[in-house]
Amino acid sequence: MDIQMGKVELSWQPILIISIITVLLGVTQYFALRSIRPLFLKWKWVRIILILTAIATTFLIPYNVWLVRGLDVSEQGVASEFSHFWLGLIIYWIIIFSLLFLSSRVLYVKKSIRSKIGKDGSRREFFQKVLGGTSLGLTGLVGVTGYGLAKADPAVENVEIKLRRFPKELDGYRIVQISDLHIGPIIQRHHVERVVDMVMELRPDLIALTGDFVDGSIEQLADAVLPLSRLQCTGGVFFVSGNHDVFSGWKIWSNKFRELGITVLENGHVEIKHPAVNESFYILGINDPTAVRLGMQSDVRMALKGCDPNKAKILLAHQPRSVSQAEQFDIDLQLSGHTHAGQMWPFGWLVGFLQPYVKGLHQHSNRLQIYVNRGTGFWGPPMRIPYTPEITSIVVRSIE
């Protein structure tokens, strides 16, 4: 079910939006009362204004998700960024307040603490003020830090990967990977231009785009994706679908990417031949598993058809869990994204239950390695904690 792209049936939309509003307002009101009320017991109107402001701001979240999705992306920008940032603050407000509250309960049940606080209302009131003030202060600090990390230029991660069958004549071949750019209401053209500039400064031999590049229709984002046409190198630029690309209208978007000069791999491969030497390897790409809704399979076997079994093979697959399929075949390296490294702590733990790898380089089997890019952009709240966005510069080494 994809709310933002309007995949929900019309008859269910009012119920869904009312449910979202009810839950968000309930959560916001509870934590506003617990955090703000103790700090302003003597200033009733200040307390009321702050609590009502917190609740009113929460309305922006479902408003952005549902009501403004038909607007031009540039018109959505400010409202979308603010409302998603507020959602991130609510999430961390809940986490931080809950951790502090549980910690305080552990202290409270101790006899020495209970005897001092339980009989003295002023001490209890002071304790509540400390809890409320600390939770609000830490939430603000985490929110600002996370926003800064998300909006900063992606960090360039330099990685060296050794492949047994990679031709020694191509030793030092540079593959630059970007993933999960999430071009949409928040990440717009100016940011895409900056990412493209950074990629080209690395002088790649080949560029791998591992999915989740768009969050919106082609009518909304046609201008924002244009800078991708400047991605050029001798080995080529290759793209595989991610789940957000599928939800955004994959058949239309795949054609658009081709118009931009990008090779789209849909369970297919290309033999990469270096112009200066008579050696080659294969770059393969498979559809995201969610493409099954379009009648398209995610099939490594199909991608391998016609490949020389003696040559190295590098697979582009959006989701790390595709490694379970890749290990059954003749694959040397898989490049993936999707996880954002959890994006916001502590969600990396949850991602770890859904995907075999969350970030970085791993030796999956005797032959197969996998590298998971932690995302060049972000999705949802404009926050990343503690990991910054990433552009991966991979130098492939031969160990033949």
Side-chain angles (χ1 to χ4, degrees):
M1 182 182 300
D2 189 87
I3 303 169
Q4 189 168 2
M5 296 314 304
K7 301 295 184 183
V8 183
E9 294 296 329
L10 183 62
S11 60
W12 284 97
Q13 286 182 346
I15 298 175
L16 184 61
I17 297 304
I18 290 172
S19 300
I20 292 172
I21 292 174
T22 302
V23 172
L24 288 175
L25 290 183
V27 170
T28 303
Q29 182 180 11
Y30 175 79
F31 284 95
L33 288 171
R34 295 302 301 266
S35 299
I36 296 174
R37 185 175 178 276
L39 299 175
F40 299 97
L41 288 174
K42 297 180 180 180
W43 296 283
K44 179 180 178 181
W45 287 109
V46 174
R47 182 173 74 243
I48 292 174
I49 290 172
L50 289 175
I51 291 175
L52 288 179
T53 300
I55 293 173
T57 305
T58 305
F59 270 108
L60 282 175
I61 299 171
Y63 173 82
N64 172 71
V65 170
W66 187 49
L67 296 178
V68 305
R69 65 176 185 268
L71 299 178
D72 183 79
V73 168
S74 61
E75 296 174 325
Q76 293 185 38
V78 175
S80 182
E81 186 160 0
F82 182 79
S83 61
H84 281 91
F85 179 71
W86 180 249
L87 175 60
L89 285 180
I90 291 176
I91 291 171
Y92 275 112
W93 194 1
I94 294 170
I95 293 173
I96 291 171
F97 186 92
S98 299
L99 290 175
L100 290 174
F101 180 78
L102 291 174
S103 299
S104 71
R105 292 299 92 186
V106 172
L107 293 174
Y108 180 75
V109 296
K110 291 184 178 181
K111 183 176 180 180
S112 59
I113 301 297
R114 183 172 64 246
S115 62
K116 292 180 181 179
I117 297 179
K119 297 179 181 179
D120 191 338
S122 63
R123 288 176 181 261
R124 183 191 297 273
E125 181 180 314
F126 174 76
F127 199 72
Q128 290 175 342
K129 287 182 178 180
V130 171
L131 178 61
T134 303
S135 66
L136 289 173
L138 288 177
T139 298
L141 178 62
V142 170
V144 170
T145 301
Y147 182 81
L149 291 176
K151 300 290 282 187
D153 284 346
V156 176
E157 294 293 336
N158 295 295
V159 182
E160 187 174 281
I161 300 178
K162 298 178 180 180
L163 300 181
R164 294 188 182 280
R165 296 186 298 175
F166 200 76
K168 60 182 180 180
E169 293 83 359
L170 298 181
D171 185 80
Y173 197 87
R174 186 180 300 276
I175 299 174
V176 174
Q177 178 194 9
I178 55 178
S179 188
D180 301 85
L181 190 51
H182 290 286
I183 303 168
I186 302 177
I187 296 179
Q188 299 187 9
R189 177 168 179 155
H190 62 89
H191 186 76
V192 180
E193 290 175 340
R194 177 57 184 150
V195 170
V196 170
D197 289 341
M198 292 182 68
V199 170
M200 297 309 296
E201 288 171 3
L202 296 171
R203 298 184 177 182
D205 296 304
L206 183 147
I207 300 173
L209 313 178
T210 48
D212 272 7
F213 267 57
V214 291
D215 275 311
S217 68
I218 197 165
E219 291 80 12
Q220 294 173 314
L221 303 179
D223 180 69
V225 301
L226 285 179
L228 296 176
S229 65
R230 293 197 290 112
L231 293 173
Q232 298 179 1
C233 55
T234 55
V237 183
F238 299 91
F239 187 96
V240 291
S241 61
N243 52 304
H244 285 253
D245 307 313
V246 172
F247 299 152
S248 297
W250 172 241
K251 292 183 179 179
I252 297 175
W253 272 116
S254 61
N255 290 330
K256 181 62 179 179
F257 290 131
R258 291 185 177 99
E259 291 176 8
L260 297 173
I262 298 170
T263 300
V264 178
L265 296 172
E266 298 178 283
N267 299 332
H269 71 265
V270 172
E271 185 175 7
I272 307 299
K273 298 180 180 180
H274 196 281
V277 298
N278 190 29
E279 292 291 345
S280 63
F281 66 95
Y282 291 102
I283 192 84
L284 302 89
I286 56 174
N287 298 320
D288 186 76
T290 57
V292 69
R293 62 162 61 188
L294 305 177
M296 303 165 62
Q297 301 300 314
S298 180
D299 195 335
V300 175
R301 186 191 299 275
M302 183 181 296
L304 279 167
K305 284 185 178 180
C307 290
D308 185 336
N310 298 313
K311 294 186 176 182
K313 300 170 184 65
I314 298 175
L315 173 68
L316 308 184
H318 178 62
Q319 299 195 37
R321 65 188 175 100
S322 295
V323 76
S324 61
Q325 185 183 173
E327 69 178 339
Q328 302 174 34
F329 299 98
D330 193 25
I331 304 297
D332 298 275
L333 172 65
Q334 176 176 318
L335 301 180
S336 296
H338 184 64
T339 66
H340 298 209
Q343 184 167 319
M344 295 167 58
W345 182 90
F347 297 108
W349 294 343
L350 175 61
V351 174
F353 285 107
L354 303 175
Q355 300 288 338
Y357 304 106
V358 176
K359 64 181 180 68
L361 181 64
H362 303 271
Q363 186 75 47
H364 181 74
S365 66
N366 185 48
R367 169 178 288 177
L368 176 60
Q369 297 178 70
I370 177 173
Y371 186 86
V372 182
N373 177 295
R374 60 179 182 260
T376 311
F378 54 84
W379 181 78
M383 295 180 183
R384 292 196 67 120
I385 299 171
Y387 301 111
T388 57
E390 172 184 349
I391 293 173
T392 316
S393 178
I394 300 170
V395 173
V396 185
R397 297 294 184 185
S398 170
I399 54 174
E400 281 190 331

